[in-house]
Amino acid sequence: GTYDTSGNALLEPSELFLLFKKLGLSVLPEALAEMVEDAQVPHQGFSFTSFWKILQIVRHRDGFSATDRQEISLTFDSFDPSRSGKMVTRFVPYALRWLGYLLGSDLVERVPWRQECMNDYTITEQSFTKIVRKHAEADLRSTRMIFREYAEHRGGGPIRGVARLSSALARLCPQYIEIAAPWLAEKMPDKVLENADKATFDFEGFVRIARGCRLMLRKKLRENNGFSEARLKKLKSSFSLLVKECGRPTLPPSALIELFRYITPAVETSKEMRDMLKEALVKHRCQTTGMDME
């Protein structure tokens, strides 16, 4: 066939990617490896029957691994508290950050995702999944670009040395620098314990490390309820200052509006946002008693 360049009636992994792309289906490399396992087909030389089995899984998971697809659904549900099956478009950037995207440097490719919404006030989970996939693809392109910049022979060779690896990761996201060391120590101890200067990292390894750092940073972001370390530090400082001005251990309801303006500037213009904050106050019983930092 057209995509069987070897002429042996079997497709190689690279040919399989091209065929999926021609069909308008985007599949991430790590997701394809999992799908091959789940389809219980040979890892090399895909027949039409094998391709068909994998195709069904690709369509069912929208090109993501099972874990990532579930994360997308759970995140969508978190930003759809009314369970209407729709997310307010304004919440998309926050949902993407919750998934671990939009955390990188300015070098990371930005995605014009709003065209997927067609200027609608809300979007469905299907549309949100497409937006996530575009960000995942853009992250992979940025990762490949930065790998080529730091690898030997303009990307034809590996990245050599942990120090150079750290510099490459910092280009993806400055916060990866402090995260990479513990991740490498746990997942690739041989790379850091012996000959760290001579350790080599190919593209697949670099992608794996970048993903590991992203998931660790995402975990930390979630532990901070969506705040980065720097923003959380500033929030605590602002809270402490307001508490000091009030002369009491908790922030009274009358002073909460100042804090809310800092956390969510949209509270001044969005009735929906104000209603959500009122609901949160009721939920945590802070309408009249005040609020502590926790």
Side-chain angles (χ1 to χ4, degrees):
T2 304
Y3 296 91
D4 175 22
T5 57
S6 60
N8 61 358
L10 298 173
L11 296 178
E12 295 303 316
S14 58
E15 296 169 338
L16 194 61
F17 270 114
L18 288 174
L19 181 52
F20 281 135
K21 187 174 182 180
K22 182 66 175 179
L23 292 172
L25 298 170
S26 174
V27 185
L28 300 174
E30 64 271 16
L32 181 60
E34 179 187 281
M35 292 173 189
V36 170
E37 289 282 350
D38 292 346
Q40 298 181 337
V41 298
H43 291 199
Q44 295 289 334
F46 301 102
S47 65
F48 178 78
T49 301
S50 297
F51 161 72
W52 188 256
K53 289 181 179 179
I54 297 169
L55 177 62
Q56 305 314 304
I57 299 176
V58 169
R59 286 176 168 167
H60 178 68
R61 298 179 186 170
D62 296 302
F64 290 97
S65 68
T67 300
D68 287 346
R69 187 65 191 84
Q70 184 181 35
E71 278 288 342
I72 292 169
S73 289
L74 290 173
T75 298
F76 183 88
D77 289 343
S78 297
F79 286 86
D80 173 28
S82 63
R83 297 295 182 268
S84 64
K86 293 185 178 181
M87 178 198 298
V88 176
T89 305
R90 188 173 61 254
F91 294 162
V92 169
Y94 302 105
L96 288 170
R97 282 177 57 81
W98 195 255
L99 283 168
Y101 298 101
L102 305 182
L103 303 177
S105 69
D106 292 338
L107 288 172
V108 176
E109 182 178 339
R110 299 305 181 197
V111 179
W113 56 268
R114 294 184 186 278
Q115 63 188 27
E116 185 65 41
C117 305
M118 302 297 291
N119 296 319
D120 290 336
Y121 178 68
T122 59
I123 61 170
T124 63
E125 183 176 342
Q126 182 180 14
S127 294
F128 178 62
T129 301
K130 290 180 181 179
I131 292 171
V132 175
R133 185 166 56 244
K134 288 179 179 179
H135 280 78
E137 292 169 351
D139 274 9
L140 185 59
R141 287 192 294 270
S142 296
T143 302
R144 183 177 290 108
M145 177 192 74
I146 292 172
F147 175 81
R148 288 172 177 168
E149 181 179 342
Y150 283 83
E152 297 177 344
H153 311 301
R154 297 183 179 180
I159 292 177
R160 188 173 300 277
V162 173
R164 193 161 180 81
L165 170 71
S166 297
S167 297
L169 290 171
R171 293 290 296 278
L172 278 174
C173 178
Q175 297 174 78
Y176 285 177
I177 297 178
E178 60 186 46
I179 291 174
W183 190 93
L184 284 171
E186 179 184 352
K187 305 294 185 181
M188 297 181 176
D190 57 311
K191 299 284 189 181
V192 294
L193 295 178
E194 299 179 12
N195 300 321
D197 293 339
K198 297 181 180 179
T200 58
F201 306 89
D202 60 15
F203 178 65
E204 287 72 21
F206 184 61
V207 170
R208 181 187 169 204
I209 295 167
R211 176 178 170 80
C213 289
R214 182 176 73 83
L215 294 181
M216 286 185 69
L217 186 57
R218 183 182 77 178
K219 180 181 178 182
K220 185 176 291 188
L221 189 78
R222 292 180 176 185
E223 289 172 349
N224 293 341
N225 293 309
F227 291 98
S228 65
E229 290 290 330
R231 190 167 174 80
L232 181 62
K233 184 178 179 180
K234 190 173 181 180
L235 172 62
K236 287 181 177 179
S237 176
S238 299
F239 186 91
S240 298
L241 183 61
L242 286 171
V243 166
K244 187 176 181 180
E245 290 177 355
C246 294
R248 50 187 292 183
T250 60
L251 201 62
S254 59
L256 285 176
I257 189 62
E258 291 298 325
L259 187 64
F260 287 152
R261 280 176 181 152
Y262 170 76
I263 299 173
T264 6
V267 71
E268 295 194 75
T269 56
S270 170
K271 181 180 182 302
E272 182 181 11
M273 188 66 70
R274 288 195 294 272
D275 290 342
M276 288 179 64
L277 288 172
K278 288 177 183 177
E279 183 180 340
L281 288 173
V282 171
K283 181 179 178 180
H284 294 281
R285 301 176 182 178
C286 299
Q287 313 99 293
T288 58
T289 58
M291 179 183 292
D292 59 21
M293 185 61 201
E294 295 301 319

